[in-house]
Amino acid sequence: MNEEIARKQLIDYINQKIELTPEEQFTVANAYHLHQIKKKDFFLKEDTQCKLQGFVVGGTFRVFYTDKKSLEHVLYFAFKDWWMGDIASFFDDNPTKLNAQAMEDSWILVIGREETEQLFTDVPKLERLFRIITQRTLSVLQKRFFLTVSANAEERYEELIKRHDGIEQLVPQHQIASYLGILPESLSRMKKQLMDRRMKKN
Amino acid sequence: MNEEIARKQLIDYINQKIELTPEEQFTVANAYHLHQIKKKDFFLKEDTQCKLQGFVVGGTFRVFYTDKKSLEHVLYFAFKDWWMGDIASFFDDNPTKLNAQAMEDSWILVIGREETEQLFTDVPKLERLFRIITQRTLSVLQKRFFLTVSANAEERYEELIKRHDGIEQLVPQHQIASYLGILPESLSRMKKQLMDRRMKKN
DNA sequence: AAAAAAACTTAACCCACATCAAGTAAATTT
DNA sequence: AAATTTACTTGATGTGGGTTAAGTTTTTTT
């Protein structure tokens, strides 16, 4: 992976959504810089001031909070062509509360807060793109929130599998439990019950 | 309340955030139309196709989902100068799953989906405003989600009171319970326990 | 290849909140 | 002002998933 190829991937992604002139493409591409994040290293670390946004070029991240009992709660997993960042710390000037940790050696295109604002000034069309991306993200989170308050862990699990088939091959089970909002022990127990029920039926 | 005054209120709100020329102000103002929503009537109703966005000029709404057991789950309350709308149905072309019901006689400025898109074309500066509003909304929802998965009902209650002092005078208790993700019986019991603990201390 | 660490499983017990039921109080309708 | 509906309270009982603990299996490190 090199920066040129990574930037091309970003531009391809953006071109699917809006049209940019060659000059605009150039401006956008050069605003981002490629970083490699080794497995288990962090792109975002809670209590730090790094106000970065990242576009995942390759690899996998888990984005999570840590609660006061030191339990981790996965907000989402980020794969190729996903955006990651801490929107909250873009407003409050506080250190971030989010963590984003690489689950395998990964590459991301990174941009800082000031550069982002400069970029929006230079290429106003991006405002529209990021408005739409943010609205879609909000819509997805609203659904996830609703599921969390209205369905039990088993229903949330089946919804996750349905919506993201193959995730169990990509992500360890205890992190799926964390995404579902339950403990690894509970997910293990639940899967056994599901298996037992399927055995009885057949 | 009349449309002229309502539109002025919207423009005042927007002027706090971005600068518009008089012509732009005119274009924006005229894109919105004033509706009165009587107490208990709906601005959004699940399973309908109405793709509207509203700016609350006066009054109060509760925005909620209904789960498969017919329990209602409040996503947020909307007061003066708040935006309401179903972002999800702007993407999926499905009928909305959200409800927005007036809790007292209320007034909102309403705009439809097509008109919104036209407005963004006519006044591109609005893209930026709505990007920022949506990012802030997303940030707030992320915090709410984290609180829901990491704190118990009592902690969520105290957080709500702290963040929105006086809400108990504005919103009936069973709807606060619904916002907190518990049943009215549980909130009633919890408040009693809190009182009892305070009595013992003094 | 051995040692250590991380991931997963299973089981007994526990608790925050749900469920069910039956009341009282307050607000709305007639 | 009486009747009805809606909001709130209280108690007994149930349960999904947490807690604790002790295993086994798999992966990573040395």
Side-chain angles (χ1 to χ4, degrees), chain B residues 68-120:
Chain B
K68 54 189 177 199
K69 290 181 205 151
S70 299
L71 287 175
E72 296 175 354
H73 299 269
V74 169
L75 184 59
Y76 57 92
F77 300 104
F79 305 99
K80 185 168 177 274
D81 286 2
W82 280 54
W83 292 95
M84 279 189 301
D86 181 16
I87 328 132
S89 74
F90 261 69
F91 297 109
D92 343 337
D93 223 16
N94 307 324
T96 181
K97 282 177 187 157
L98 267 186
N99 301 281
Q101 186 183 32
M103 295 170 63
E104 56 188 311
D105 291 355
S106 301
W107 288 264
I108 50 179
L109 282 169
V110 174
I111 188 171
R113 184 197 186 151
E114 276 77 26
E115 296 78 48
T116 305
E117 283 173 11
Q118 184 60 49
L119 186 59
F120 281 136

Side-chain angles (χ1 to χ4, degrees), chain A residues 3-67:
Chain A
E3 195 162 61
E4 197 188 343
I5 291 175
R7 284 172 170 169
K8 188 165 182 324
Q9 186 180 320
L10 172 62
I11 297 299
D12 286 347
Y13 166 89
I14 293 177
N15 280 340
Q16 287 175 352
K17 319 246 169 183
I18 56 170
E19 281 189 26
L20 294 181
T21 67
E23 295 77 44
E24 288 171 332
Q25 294 184 17
F26 183 80
T27 306
V28 173
N30 284 92
Y32 289 86
H33 293 279
L34 185 65
H35 288 227
Q36 186 182 17
I37 314 267
K38 289 278 185 186
K39 183 173 182 173
K40 291 192 181 170
D41 283 351
F42 287 81
F43 167 57
L44 296 173
K45 188 92 177 81
E46 61 184 297
D47 301 326
T48 66
Q49 278 288 350
C50 67
K51 298 193 191 314
L52 303 172
Q53 253 217 315
F55 176 79
V56 180
V57 176
T60 316
F61 289 83
R62 67 189 181 102
V63 178
F64 64 96
Y65 291 99
T66 307
D67 71 21

Side-chain angles (χ1 to χ4, degrees), chain B residues 138 141 161:
Chain B
L138 178 57
L141 184 58
I161 300 308

Side-chain angles (χ1 to χ4, degrees), chain A residues 49-150:
Chain A
Q49 278 288 350
C50 67
K51 298 193 191 314
L52 303 172
Q53 253 217 315
F55 176 79
V56 180
V57 176
T60 316
F61 289 83
R62 67 189 181 102
V63 178
F64 64 96
Y65 291 99
T66 307
D67 71 21
K68 55 190 176 196
K69 291 183 204 150
S70 298
L71 287 175
E72 296 174 355
H73 299 268
V74 170
L75 185 59
Y76 56 93
F77 300 105
F79 305 99
K80 184 168 179 273
D81 286 2
W82 280 53
W83 292 95
M84 279 189 300
D86 181 16
I87 327 133
S89 74
F90 262 68
F91 298 110
D92 342 337
D93 221 17
N94 307 326
T96 181
K97 282 176 188 160
L98 266 186
N99 301 281
Q101 186 183 33
M103 294 169 64
E104 56 188 312
D105 291 356
S106 302
W107 289 263
I108 50 180
L109 283 170
V110 176
I111 189 171
R113 181 196 186 153
E114 276 77 26
E115 296 77 49
T116 305
E117 284 175 8
Q118 184 61 50
L119 187 58
F120 282 136
T121 306
D122 295 344
V123 187
K125 278 178 201 168
L126 289 179
E127 296 276 8
R128 180 179 176 79
L129 175 64
F130 280 87
R131 171 179 63 82
I132 289 167
I133 288 172
T134 309
Q135 284 179 342
R136 180 161 289 143
T137 307
L138 178 57
S139 166
V140 169
L141 184 59
Q142 280 184 357
K143 270 188 205 156
R144 177 147 150 67
F145 178 79
F146 176 56
L147 206 68
T148 299
V149 296
S150 70

